[in-house]
């Protein structure tokens, strides 16, 4: 094709054709455990995370992020980080050719914004928990991961990208 996408077109495409379908697929496969006394607390999968707002369809479905989490998680969300890089470039354009234009084109995508907020918040909360010493049993490698996540030079591509996604999700929800 002779058409080269603008940064707004690329970001919109990544959001709607990449990230949104991935989030929807993740939501479909998440099943919480029952609240039975027969299941050890450390083995329970909470109903509220990691997809509280998206899974239930209600905003602010959970007010606190639990420490326990039976499913493994990663500090690395490559698709989210690529979208964050696209958003960063979009923000460098004049608003009417960048972020304002993008928001006007995707303002009705509520599930996108809820998921875009929730996935990075889970990672940010886990990093805060590690820094607070709540994951000590996982040993020094977990602390090293958080150092790589939150300290220069990698913080720009990791933590700062997650913060940008949270800010963009809040901005997107504010336009509805």
């Amino acid at each position: 094709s002779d058409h080269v996408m603008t940064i707004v077109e690329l970001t919109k495409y990544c959001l709607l054709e990449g990230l949104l379908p991935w989030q929807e697929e993740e939501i479909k496969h998440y099943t919480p455990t029952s609240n039975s006394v027969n299941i050890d607390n450390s083995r329970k999968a909470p109903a509220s995370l990691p997809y509280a707002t998206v899974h239930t369809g209600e905003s602010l479905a959970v007010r606190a992020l639990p420490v326990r989490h039976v499913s493994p998680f990663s500090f690395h969300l490559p698709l989210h980080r690529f979208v964050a890089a696209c958003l960063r470039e979009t923000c460098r354009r004049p608003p009417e050719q960048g972020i304002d234009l993008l928001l006007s084109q995707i303002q009705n995508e509520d599930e996108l914004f809820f998921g875009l907020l929730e996935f990075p918040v889970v990672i940010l909360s886990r990093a805060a928990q590690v820094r607070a010493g709540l994951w000590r049993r996982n040993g020094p490698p977990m602390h090293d991961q958080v150092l790589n996540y939150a300290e220069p030079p990698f913080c720009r591509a990791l933590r700062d990208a997650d913060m940008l996604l949270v800010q963009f999700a809040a901005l997107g929800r504010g336009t509805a």
Side-chain angles (χ1 to χ4, degrees):
S1 155
D2 293 333
H3 177 71
V4 176
M5 291 179 149
T6 67
I7 191 62
V8 171
E9 291 170 335
L10 176 62
T11 305
K12 179 182 172 186
Y13 181 83
C14 290
L15 284 166
L16 299 181
E17 302 300 324
L19 202 58
L20 183 59
W22 177 82
Q23 288 174 173
E24 290 171 343
E25 198 61 31
E26 286 293 305
I27 293 162
K28 283 184 209 170
H29 295 340
Y30 182 77
T31 44
T33 56
S34 67
N35 200 17
S36 168
V37 293
N38 298 329
I39 302 173
D40 181 43
N41 281 338
S42 65
R43 307 304 305 158
K44 290 181 181 178
S48 59
L49 274 180
Y51 316 112
T53 52
V54 179
H55 187 66
T56 63
E58 299 175 18
S59 60
L60 301 175
V62 66
R63 299 212 181 266
L65 298 172
V67 174
R68 286 191 186 103
H69 190 63
V70 73
S71 303
F73 76 94
S74 172
F75 286 102
H76 305 290
L77 299 169
L79 188 54
H80 284 75
R81 303 281 161 62
F82 181 74
V83 167
C86 290
L87 282 171
R88 187 178 294 125
E89 286 300 315
T90 301
C91 290
R92 290 182 175 161
R93 306 299 187 268
E96 64 279 356
Q97 298 170 7
I99 198 72
D100 289 350
L101 179 60
L102 177 63
L103 284 169
S104 70
Q105 294 176 7
I106 62 172
Q107 65 185 352
N108 296 325
E109 298 291 339
D110 287 342
E111 279 202 17
L112 171 70
F113 290 115
F114 283 131
L116 201 57
L117 175 70
E118 194 147 7
F119 286 91
V121 165
V122 169
I123 302 304
L124 289 163
S125 71
R126 296 298 183 239
Q129 290 170 358
V130 171
R131 283 188 178 258
L134 299 177
W135 289 73
R136 281 197 180 135
R137 69 180 176 90
N138 295 78
M142 184 61 102
H143 190 263
D144 293 345
Q145 273 195 44
V146 171
L147 283 176
N148 286 330
Y149 174 76
E151 301 293 331
F154 301 117
C155 64
R156 179 175 158 84
L158 300 171
R159 187 207 50 213
D160 294 355
D162 289 344
M163 290 299 298
L164 177 64
L165 292 174
V166 169
Q167 292 168 342
F168 180 72
L171 186 62
R173 288 297 303 139
T175 61

